[in-house]
Amino acid sequence: MAKAQAAVVGVGTTAYGRLPDYDAYDLGMWALTEALGDAGLKFEDIDGVIINRIPDYQRFCEIAGIDPQYVTITPGHGRFAAICIDTAISLVASGRCKTVALVYGNNGRSAGASYGGPEDSYGSGANGLWFPYGMTSPGAFHALMMRRHMGLYGTTPEQIAQVSMTFRNHAALNPQAVMREPFNLDTYLDARMICDPLRLLDYCLINDGGVAIIITAAERARDFPKPPVYLRGAALQTVFADSMFPPEDFWRGAMKKVTDRSFGDAGLSHADMSALMIYDNFTPTVLFSLEGCGYCGEGESGPFVAEGHLALGAKFPTNTSGGHLSESYMQGWALNVEAVRQLRGECGERQVSEAANVHYCAAAPVCSSIVYSRDAS
Amino acid sequence: MSFKQGITAKPRPRITPDHQPLWDGFKVHKLMLPYCEECGKPHLPPGPVCPYCLSDRLDWREASGCGTISTWVEVHKVWFPAFADDVPYNVIQVELAEGPRITANLIDFGGKIEVGQKVQATFDDVDEDLTMLRFKPA
Ligand SMILES: [Zn+2]
C-alpha cells in the first residue's frame, strides 16, 4: 500500500438550479472563488488549470486574471470529472504543478440544453443509423440497458424506484439540493414514462451551477486551513470498442478493473467505505455500478437496492447529497465535492458518522473509480 | 435524391460510403452484412475495416434475416417532431443469427415485446429513395 500522492485542499460550489443571470464563465468563477477561499489561497497561487464544460480556457483565465504554467480543457461529458481529477493527481504527484484548480461551469438549464433529438450527439456516432427509427438520447441508451437487465435478471421497476427515492430522501437533508420533496413508490410509478422502462424520476436534472476543486501534492496538504482529503487511488478504463450498442456486461468488466486498481492503490476494500458516490445520470447506472464495483453480485443489484443498503444509516450510504437525480446534474463534479465534505465532517444533517473513506465511481464508456480518505495511508 | 428534412419529415439515415451496401440491400429487400475475408466474422455497424482483425478485405453477403430481440424500449417522449403521431413507439435491438446487433422497430406484433423474442427481417419501402429494415415476430 502506497501513501497517497495527492489531496484535495479546497472545494467550492455555487447555488444550483435556474440561474439565468450567470453564464458558464460566471458559474466557474463563482465556484473557483469559493474553492480558493476554502483553501486559503489566492488566484495567483494556481499554477495548473483544468477546465470542464466552460466553453473557452483562455477567456476563463483572462477573467480570473491568472497565467498558469499548465492548462487544458475537456469536453462537457460527465465521464470527464474523474478523468480531470486523475490528470490533476499526475500533475501534482510528478511535481509538474503545485496547485491545480479544476473548474466546471454549466449553464445548461438557462441555455436550454437538451439531450436527445436532432442535435443529439451522444455515443459513438451511431445517430445516422438510430435517428430514422426514432432512437436518440443517452436516456434511451440506458433504457435499452435497463430493459435487458430486467429481462436477464428479473429486475423490477419497484426495485429501480428505490434508487431514486433514497437519493431524494438524502436531498431532503441537503439545503443545496434542487429537488427536496420526498416521494413514495406510487408517485414514482405514476410519473410519466419518458422511454419505457425509464420514467421521469429515473432521469437526472438539467440545472445551472458550477463546481471547483483544488488539488495539491499530499506532502503540502497539511499547510491549508481545512483538513486535507487524500486521493488514495484513481483509475480509468475506456470501453469504446463496439460502443454503438450497450455493453453486454453492463460495464461490469471495466468497473471491476478500475475498482480493483484504485482499491489496490489505496490498500482498502469495500467494507472500508463509509459512503459511495455513484454517477447517477439515470437510475440504471447506479445498479450497474454496484455490480461492477462488486458491492453486490452479477444481476443482484435490484434486490440489493431494495434491501435499503444505499440509505443514510445503512451499510453503504450512497449519494448523500441527493446526487444528480435530486441535488443537481453537475456531471460528477458535485459528487466528488460531497465525498470531500463527508470526509471533513461538513455535511450537517446528512453527515455519515465517522466517515473515513468514500468511493466515487462512474459507469460509462470511460469507467472510473476514485478513493478519497481522511488518512494519507 | 430527396433532401427535404424539415420538422415534418422523419430523420433520414446518414449513409456514408461504408454503409451504402447495407441500405442498397434494403432497397432490394435483402439484409446484407459485411463479412471479413480474413477472420470470417460479420460486423455492424459497417466500418472501413473488420473491427476484429482490422482487415480491409470485406465481402457483403446476404444474411438470414433471423434474429432475437436482445433489448427494446418504448419511446414516449417526442424527441423528433415528426414522430409526434407515433408515440409511444418501440425501438428494438436485434441480435442477428449471424452475430451482429442492429437497431430497428418491431411491427405487426400482438402487443407484447419480450427480451429473447425471435424475429424476422421485413422491409418497408418508405419512398422511392429509402427502404427501411424493420422486424416482425418470427
Ligand atoms: Zn476480420
Side-chain angles (χ1 to χ4, degrees):
Chain A
M1 170 176 76
K3 203 168 183 309
Q5 294 182 293
V8 175
V9 296
V11 291
T13 50
T14 64
Y16 301 138
R18 195 171 162 273
L19 305 165
D21 296 336
Y22 297 83
D23 66 14
Y25 296 96
D26 299 329
L27 294 163
M29 276 300 291
W30 177 354
L32 179 58
T33 305
E34 296 283 332
L36 289 170
D38 190 52
L41 289 170
K42 297 191 281 294
F43 277 87
E44 56 265 34
D45 295 323
I46 301 165
D47 63 351
V49 171
I50 301 178
I51 299 286
N52 185 235
R53 192 158 177 141
I54 295 167
D56 187 274
Y57 52 90
Q58 181 175 343
R59 177 72 187 130
F60 182 81
C61 290
E62 185 186 10
I63 292 169
I66 53 173
D67 273 312
Q69 48 147 317
Y70 178 89
V71 68
T72 191
I73 188 163
T74 53
H77 303 161
R79 56 197 79 157
F80 268 87
I83 297 173
C84 294
I85 292 166
D86 188 60
T87 301
I89 294 171
S90 297
L91 289 171
V92 299
S94 65
R96 177 81 190 274
C97 291
K98 279 177 79 172
T99 309
V100 178
L102 302 105
V103 189
Y104 170 83
N106 177 359
N107 64 334
R109 172 134 184 221
S110 293
S114 64
Y115 295 84
E119 303 306 319
D120 186 34
S121 62
Y122 179 77
S124 61
N127 295 347
L129 288 173
W130 281 356
F131 283 2
Y133 295 103
M135 172 67 188
T136 179
S137 87
F141 188 88
H142 286 79
L144 281 172
M145 291 181 78
M146 191 67 246
R147 174 84 66 195
R148 181 150 176 84
H149 199 275
M150 294 164 85
L152 291 177
Y153 307 113
T155 315
T156 67
E158 289 77 10
Q159 292 167 343
I160 303 167
Q162 290 299 323
V163 172
S164 190
M165 286 158 54
T166 302
F167 295 176
R168 181 61 63 84
N169 290 340
H170 294 167
L173 305 174
N174 175 11
Q176 204 173 1
V178 172
M179 301 295 273
R180 301 187 62 197
E181 189 72 35
F183 57 85
N184 62 21
L185 182 60
D186 287 341
T187 304
Y188 170 86
L189 293 171
D190 291 344
R192 71 174 184 273
M193 279 289 185
I194 305 292
C195 186
D196 190 349
L198 298 186
R199 296 166 166 82
L200 182 67
L201 294 167
D202 293 305
Y203 279 66
C204 63
L205 310 164
I206 294 176
N207 283 128
D208 303 327
V211 179
I213 297 177
I214 311 291
I215 290 175
T216 189
E219 66 265 21
R220 298 182 64 230
R222 292 225 159 271
D223 308 335
F224 295 84
K226 294 281 181 75
V229 170
Y230 293 96
L231 288 150
R232 292 268 292 270
L236 309 172
Q237 178 61 54
T238 63
V239 189
F240 295 148
D242 204 24
S243 57
M244 173 178 169
F245 298 101
E248 282 291 303
D249 72 344
F250 304 90
W251 290 304
R252 273 193 297 258
M255 289 304 280
K256 178 171 172 16
K257 278 185 195 168
V258 294
T259 303
D260 287 351
R261 280 186 223 144
S262 57
F263 281 24
D265 286 347
L268 295 169
S269 66
H270 299 85
D272 296 315
M273 297 304 152
S274 316
L276 312 181
M277 300 299 153
I278 303 181
Y279 194 89
D280 57 336
N281 46 355
F282 309 99
T283 46
T285 319
V286 176
L287 303 182
F288 308 152
S289 299
L290 289 166
E291 293 179 19
C293 294
Y295 289 100
C296 64
E298 180 177 328
E300 293 172 5
S301 55
F304 183 81
V305 298
E307 284 163 16
H309 298 302
L310 309 191
L312 273 164
K315 203 158 148 196
F316 295 114
T318 301
N319 295 11
T320 49
S321 57
H324 297 124
L325 291 167
S326 285
E327 186 191 38
S328 189
Y329 181 49
M330 292 291 107
Q331 299 190 280
W333 291 101
L335 283 172
N336 282 280
V337 168
E338 179 74 0
V340 171
R341 289 180 173 155
Q342 282 289 352
L343 291 167
R344 287 174 171 181
E346 294 178 340
C347 289
E349 277 191 276
R350 66 183 194 280
Q351 180 63 45
V352 173
S353 64
E354 295 175 46
N357 307 292
V358 178
H359 184 199
Y360 168 81
C361 64
V366 183
C367 288
S368 58
S369 169
I370 300 176
V371 178
Y372 290 91
S373 292
R374 217 170 38 189
D375 301 323
S377 61
Chain B
M1 187 77 185
S2 168
F3 284 95
K4 69 168 172 349
Q5 192 176 321
I7 57 161
T8 51
K10 289 184 177 172
R12 299 179 74 90
R14 210 181 306 132
I15 303 176
T16 65
D18 295 335
H19 289 73
Q20 192 69 51
L22 184 69
W23 293 92
D24 288 349
F26 294 166
K27 270 197 196 173
V28 292
H29 293 198
K30 289 182 177 181
L31 173 53
M32 305 294 290
L33 291 178
Y35 276 80
C36 172
E37 294 199 313
E38 295 286 339
C39 73
K41 289 183 194 160
H43 70 267
L44 283 178
V49 296
C50 166
Y52 305 107
C53 74
L54 305 183
S55 167
D56 63 359
R57 290 179 50 223
L58 301 176
D59 179 35
W60 286 80
R61 294 180 218 158
E62 187 176 358
S64 66
C66 301
T68 305
I69 295 179
S70 56
T71 188
W72 62 280
V73 294
E74 188 177 65
V75 178
H76 288 246
K77 185 180 166 75
V78 181
W79 269 303
F80 298 99
F83 280 88
D85 293 337
D86 297 355
V87 292
Y89 58 89
N90 70 71
V91 176
I92 62 170
Q93 181 181 289
V94 175
E95 187 170 324
L96 298 172
E98 291 79 7
R101 291 180 283 177
I102 197 162
T103 303
N105 310 118
L106 186 67
I107 58 168
D108 300 335
F109 62 102
K112 212 170 167 208
I113 311 177
E114 279 179 288
V115 171
Q117 194 174 344
K118 300 282 180 209
V119 292
Q120 178 67 42
T122 181
F123 300 90
D124 176 6
D125 296 317
V126 175
D127 56 38
E128 61 180 25
D129 297 319
L130 178 65
T131 298
M132 299 261 292
L133 170 71
R134 305 198 199 276
F135 286 86
K136 59 185 183 186

